[in-house]
Amino acid sequence: MERAVPRAGIRRRLRLATAIGALLTLLGTYAVSTTARADAAPGTNAIRVAEFPADCGFSHRLPDDPIIFPGLPGASHMHSFFGSTVTNAHTTLPDLLNSTTTCNPGVDTSSYWVPTLYRNNVPVEPAIVTFYYLGEGVRSDVVARTEPLPQGLRIVAGNALATGPENSIARWSCLHAGHVPPSKNFVNCPAGTMLESYLDFPQCWNGRDLDSPDHKSHMAYPVNQACPASHPVPVPKLRQVLRYPVNGDPSQFRLASGPGYTMHGDFFNAWPVAEMARRVNDCIRPVIKCGHDGRPL
């Protein structure tokens, strides 16, 4: 018994010494790791995704479309407008440049619009609206030579006249319900989730025209991860993501343009030239994920 006490004490001291040694080792590793990160070159810890976003809340509704029906108020189906607060059938680039905006960042006075969604014939506006500017869908060498979207560029994506899902590039899904397969038409989202719409705009420009007679020919989608020779200038891909505070029976929903597969989007670029160029240089070309301020996250 007389020998048991000191042995227990020795064991306790050994355990304490071991614990202290482990703690010192951990602190040493942390110090080295922190120093290495502090000394690392800028961008080493950047998130390797070529992206910068703009969140643009709902502004207003009008049956106008300054791209498809310029100067003709009331000529279009109903549209929901985001970004610039002044957009109507007569809107020009100077109007956008001098307007207020619903976007974060506030420098983005571009106009974005989509056909209004109705639930049982009552208009519903998205609760969350994000426009992502991306460098994806093309080879890395194409991303590296992406050019800024030219100010005044007008782009239309999707097919308002689609007669079936096969004529559509729309995509519908459910927020927080990934088990529901996406579809080109409305989907049945469970209670507590939101109906989502995704739409990708073309990212290859012909390098000359800010618009075209059919409002599409000046732009093209990549082919085999590269821009076609007819549209050689890669620009950031605009991805439109809308989240509507509705769910349930898809038969309750319609767009102003028709079924879900007629979803389309319009974009009239009014980003300040220097701001767009900075974001392309700092976020898209080096493949870095940036926040609303165009700075790496």
Side-chain angles (χ1 to χ4, degrees), residues 148-150 153-157 201-212 214-222 227-228 230-238 267:
L149 287 155
L153 183 68
R154 280 149 278 188
I155 314 178
V156 178
F201 284 64
Q203 68 197 91
C204 299
W205 178 43
N206 68 9
R208 301 184 310 273
D209 305 308
L210 299 178
D211 199 358
S212 49
D214 64 358
H215 311 294
K216 290 192 174 186
S217 297
H218 60 302
M219 301 295 299
Y221 286 93
C227 286
S230 57
H231 297 75
V233 182
V235 295
K237 175 200 286 187
L238 178 63
F267 169 61

Side-chain angles (χ1 to χ4, degrees), residues 43-49 51-53 132 282-283 287-297:
T44 298
N45 297 311
I47 302 172
R48 308 303 297 182
V49 177
E51 171 188 310
F52 64 89
Y132 294 96
D282 295 352
C283 311
V287 189
I288 293 176
K289 184 180 179 71
C290 291
H292 297 86
D293 59 357
R295 306 292 181 187
L297 295 174

Side-chain angles (χ1 to χ4, degrees), residues 257-278:
S257 52
Y261 50 74
T262 66
M263 173 54 89
H264 55 285
D266 297 69
F267 169 61
F268 196 150
N269 179 35
W271 279 85
V273 172
E275 285 291 329
M276 174 59 66
R278 180 174 67 82

Side-chain angles (χ1 to χ4, degrees), residues 24-54:
L24 290 173
T25 299
L26 179 62
L27 289 173
T29 301
Y30 175 78
V32 171
S33 177
T34 303
T35 302
R37 286 198 299 271
D39 293 341
T44 298
N45 297 311
I47 302 172
R48 308 303 297 182
V49 177
E51 171 188 310
F52 64 89

